[in-house]
């Protein structure tokens, strides 16, 4: 896909003071973006194919998961300095801490398993490796830290893992190429983005087995979720549709849409709720969208196949 024309705007001035981090999956690096000048200030070498990142419970480190290097890179979220590298973490594609901060979970996209690690506040220790369906993709853990949910990208499934027994509770067939999964605050409803289709599936998971209750049309290649920060809405990126849909979590319907050129993937929202930061996967850009005007106001050059994007100065998740 040809790169879109650059957007010419003055430097944005906003609520961000901490750097913005963009993972360049095919450049094995992290771009560090100054949110005042909107320029890349440095590029941090990581292991091979960093895809996702997550903040540690003490908020002192962001963990970059390097899938093909079987490693984790810890970076200071304020100074963008590398703190340490942890080796021997097999194929960490996606990662998440449980809300009670006792467990650290990774999805091995390439090796078809989910790993559950104990977390003592500094180090991780493998507790259980769980075989899954083909290509575990994204993870969600409920508010009670009792259940892990994961999509299976190539076997078109959603599975649930009981954290107490560390065993699979159930699995259900989904639509085509399920990617991100997002749970509502009541722990009764799960949303699954279908990258091989054009919408989001809604599951009632309050019973012994999940029930598909609705499909929300969003756009082609529905892929990644990001809570909007108001406890009422969630965003979903439509990677093939070059757009981002805003879903009302009470009505479970799309209530707004934003342009997002170049294959939008992961997103973050500024702490004042005025800007969406999204990785434009196909055009090597970080794209900044003004929510009020629904317009792209800035694009920043980054590395190849930008994926995860994050800043410490984000709206509530």
């Amino acid at each position: 896909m040809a790169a879109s024309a650059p957007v010419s705007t003055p430097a944005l001035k906003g609520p961000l003071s901490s750097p913005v981090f963009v993972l360049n999956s095919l450049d094995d690096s992290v771009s560090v973006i100054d949110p005042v000048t909107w320029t890349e200030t440095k590029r941090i070498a990581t292991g091979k194919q960093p895809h996702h990142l997550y903040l540690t419970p003490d908020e002192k480190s962001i963990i970059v998961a390097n899938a093909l290097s079987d490693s984790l890179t810890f970076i200071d979220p304020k100074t963008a300095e590398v703190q340490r590298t942890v080796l021997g973490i097999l194929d960490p594609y996606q990662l998440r801490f449980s809300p009670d901060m006792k467990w650290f979970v990774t999805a091995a996209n390439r090796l078809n398993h989910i790993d559950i690690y104990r977390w003592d506040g500094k180090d991780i220790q493998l507790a259980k490796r769980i075989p899954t369906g083909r290509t575990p993709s994204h993870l969600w853990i409920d508010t009670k830290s009792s259940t892990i949910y994961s999509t299976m990208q190539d076997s078109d499934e959603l599975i649930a893992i009981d954290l107490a027994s560390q065993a699979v509770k159930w699995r259900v067939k989904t639509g085509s190429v399920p990617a991100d999964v997002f749970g509502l605050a009541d722990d009764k409803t799960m949303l699954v983005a279908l990258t091989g289709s054009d919408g989001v599936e809604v599951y009632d998971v309050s019973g012994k087995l999940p029930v598909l209750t609705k499909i929300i049309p969003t756009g082609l290649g529905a892929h990644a979720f990001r809570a909007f920060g108001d406890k009422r809405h969630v965003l979903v990126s439509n990677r093939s549709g070059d757009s981002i849909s805003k879903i009302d979590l009470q009505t479970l319907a799309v209530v707004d849409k934003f342009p997002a050129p170049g294959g939008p993937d992961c997103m973050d929202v500024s702490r004042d709720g005025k800007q969406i930061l999204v990785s434009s996967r196909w055009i090597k850009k970080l794209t900044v969208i003004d929510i009020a005007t629904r317009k792209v106001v800035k694009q920043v050059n980054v590395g190849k196949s930008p994926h995860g994007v994050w800043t410490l100065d984000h709206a509530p998740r």
Side-chain angles (χ1 to χ4, degrees):
M1 180 181 294
S4 60
V7 178
S8 178
T9 60
L12 298 178
K13 296 192 181 294
L16 303 182
S17 57
S18 300
V20 176
F21 298 89
V22 180
L23 307 191
N24 304 311
S25 294
L26 295 185
D27 270 343
D28 305 335
S29 67
V30 178
S31 290
V32 181
I33 309 298
D34 182 324
V36 177
T37 63
W38 292 104
T39 57
E40 183 183 66
T41 58
K42 70 174 179 177
R43 195 169 289 193
I44 302 170
T46 62
K48 293 181 180 179
Q49 289 203 13
H51 291 286
H52 294 101
L53 69 169
Y54 209 86
L55 185 67
T56 54
D58 62 9
E59 300 188 353
K60 293 181 179 179
S61 306
I62 54 170
I63 304 176
V64 175
N66 308 306
L68 287 186
S69 286
D70 299 338
S71 68
L72 306 173
T73 303
F74 285 67
I75 300 173
D76 188 306
K78 294 181 179 179
T79 66
E81 296 298 322
V82 174
Q83 298 165 323
R84 60 182 171 132
T85 300
V86 176
L87 304 176
I89 310 300
L90 289 185
D91 189 22
Y93 174 76
Q94 240 266 353
L95 67 168
R96 179 174 286 271
F97 282 95
S98 60
D100 65 7
M101 309 306 178
K102 293 180 180 179
W103 304 102
F104 176 70
V105 183
T106 61
N109 188 259
R110 182 179 83 256
L111 299 178
N112 297 334
H113 66 250
I114 288 174
D115 283 345
I116 301 175
Y117 295 87
R118 293 184 181 88
W119 171 258
D120 65 5
K122 180 185 177 183
D123 297 315
I124 60 176
Q125 181 181 6
L126 183 64
K128 188 69 176 288
R129 176 160 294 150
I130 301 170
T132 62
R134 288 174 50 220
T135 323
S137 182
H138 288 66
L139 301 165
W140 184 266
I141 303 176
D142 68 354
T143 63
K144 301 179 184 68
S145 300
S146 64
T147 305
I148 302 167
Y149 297 92
S150 180
T151 51
M152 300 293 123
Q153 186 174 307
D154 289 325
S155 55
D156 295 340
E157 295 174 297
L158 174 68
I159 72 169
I161 297 171
D162 179 67
L163 254 175
S165 65
Q166 298 180 354
V168 175
K169 292 198 299 184
W170 51 253
R171 62 178 66 235
V172 63
K173 274 289 184 180
T174 66
S176 178
V177 193
D180 207 358
V181 57
F182 182 88
L184 274 62
D186 62 6
D187 287 332
K188 295 179 180 179
T189 305
M190 302 297 300
L191 307 182
V192 175
L194 301 178
T195 302
S197 184
D198 60 356
V200 169
E201 291 183 330
V202 181
Y203 288 89
D204 180 344
V205 294
S206 60
K208 289 186 177 180
L209 293 174
V211 177
L212 176 64
T213 61
K214 186 174 185 178
I215 299 177
I216 307 169
T218 59
L220 288 174
H223 187 73
F225 292 110
R226 170 60 165 91
F228 195 63
D230 60 359
K231 299 183 179 180
R232 174 71 186 263
H233 300 94
V234 67
L235 302 174
V236 61
S237 57
N238 305 306
R239 188 192 281 176
S240 301
D242 285 346
S243 66
I244 295 170
S245 298
K246 182 181 179 182
I247 297 173
D248 186 316
L249 295 177
Q250 293 182 11
T251 63
L252 294 175
V254 172
V255 293
D256 211 345
K257 207 160 196 176
F258 307 91
D265 205 302
C266 292
M267 299 166 286
D268 212 346
V269 178
S270 63
R271 64 186 172 196
D272 66 354
K274 293 182 178 181
Q275 296 167 355
I276 299 170
L277 315 177
V278 58
S279 53
S280 294
R281 198 79 185 266
W282 314 136
I283 59 174
K284 299 189 291 184
K285 307 279 188 185
L286 168 70
T287 296
V288 183
I289 300 166
D290 180 78
I291 291 172
T293 63
R294 300 179 187 83
K295 291 183 178 180
V296 173
V297 292
K298 201 73 178 176
Q299 289 186 305
V300 183
N301 293 327
V302 292
K304 294 178 183 176
S305 194
H307 201 169
V309 56
W310 183 88
T311 177
L312 189 61
D313 298 327
H314 59 245
R317 293 179 182 272

